[in-house]
Structures are given as C-alpha cells and as structure tokens.
C-alpha cells in the first residue's frame, strides 16, 4: 500500500530539506501513520508535490535506510521496514486531548505557529535535558 504521508517543506526553517523529509517520516512512524510494509512516495512524486529535487528525497530515503527504518526494493519502491510507534496507550489519547486544548488556548492568546513551536521546543529542551 502506498503511504498517505504528504511532505511539507518549510524553506524558512533553517533545517535542510532532506532532514525535514527524514523527520516527517520518523514522526509518521511514531504516530502509526506509516506502518511496516507501507510504500513511500517515489522521489518523482515527492518532487512533483513539494518542488524538491528528486535527489534530495533520495538522500532522505538513504538516511532512513541507514537508520533501518526503510528498505529499497529495486523496481518496486522504498518500503517501511519497521515502526517507531509505541503500543496504543490510553495515556496517549488523554495527553493528545490536553495538548489540543493547550494549543487552542495558545491560539486564543494570539500565538502563531512559530511562537508555539519556540515555546514547545524551549520546554522540551528544559524537561528532557541530559544530565
């Protein structure tokens, strides 16, 4: 089955395009959007939908292969070889709903996407700092 993942490239993010593709695949694997056996879009399909050079997508797919997350099958495409999703947890559903409510409050307070991202990243780094 061809995956339903749609890549979104933020050219202003400062993150290399191929890394954005890698990160989006990893996130889809964590959320269970992509599962073992799914076929990723071809480099040509990604290029057509994102205006990214096909070689950039191939670089991302090679990195995902190096991480053991996908495997190329000559003539068939690139397929997910393992997931990053945790087993379903009731806590995940509760946390997701709480996060949605928090996001609604943040938007109501006038924060935009980048404000929210900066705030989340700041708290994430604080709470998950090594040491």
């Amino acid at each position: 089955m061809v995956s339903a993942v749609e890549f979104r490239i933020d050219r202003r993010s400062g993150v290399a395009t191929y890394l954005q593709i890698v990160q989006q695949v990893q996130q889809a694997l964590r959320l269970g959007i992509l599962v073992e056996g799914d076929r990723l879009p071809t480099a040509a399909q990604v290029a057509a939908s994102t205006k990214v050079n096909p070689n950039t997508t191939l670089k991302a797919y090679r990195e995902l292969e190096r991480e053991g997350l996908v495997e190329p099958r000559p003539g068939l495409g690139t397929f997910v070889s393992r997931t990053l999703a945790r087993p379903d947890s009731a806590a995940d559903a509760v946390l997701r709903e709480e996060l949605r409510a928090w996001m609604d409050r943040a938007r109501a307070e006038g924060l935009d996407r980048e404000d929210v991202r900066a705030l989340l990243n700041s708290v994430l780094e604080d709470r998950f700092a090594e040491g």
Side-chain angles (χ1 to χ4, degrees):
M1 173 170 116
V2 177
S3 74
V5 70
E6 290 184 31
F7 296 108
R8 290 183 175 82
I9 304 303
D10 181 354
R11 287 167 172 72
R12 296 171 290 141
S13 73
V15 176
T17 303
Y18 88 96
L19 283 177
Q20 290 183 51
I21 293 170
V22 168
Q23 291 167 352
Q24 289 174 42
V25 169
Q26 290 169 333
Q27 180 174 343
L29 289 167
R30 278 190 178 82
L31 296 174
I33 296 167
L34 286 174
V35 297
E36 191 172 330
D38 282 350
R39 183 169 61 89
L40 296 179
T42 66
Q45 289 169 326
V46 175
S49 68
T50 63
K51 309 298 186 250
V52 168
N53 185 308
N55 289 328
T56 300
T57 302
L58 293 174
K59 182 176 182 179
Y61 286 7
R62 281 191 303 273
E63 176 63 20
L64 291 162
E65 180 185 5
R66 189 189 66 71
E67 293 177 10
L69 299 174
V70 302
E71 63 181 354
R73 297 181 191 160
L76 297 175
T78 301
F79 291 81
V80 172
S81 55
R82 74 179 174 92
T83 184
L84 294 174
R86 296 176 337 145
D88 283 340
S89 164
D92 287 358
V94 172
L95 290 170
R96 182 180 297 268
E97 193 51 44
E98 289 174 0
L99 187 54
R100 280 191 181 112
W102 182 88
M103 291 280 178
D104 290 343
R105 287 194 313 272
R107 289 182 77 182
E109 291 294 326
L111 277 69
D112 66 17
R113 178 184 299 264
E114 292 308 314
D115 295 332
V116 168
R117 181 174 284 131
L119 187 55
L120 286 172
N121 285 339
S122 172
V123 173
L124 184 68
E125 290 304 315
D126 179 55
R127 289 298 188 221
F128 288 89
E130 302 263 6

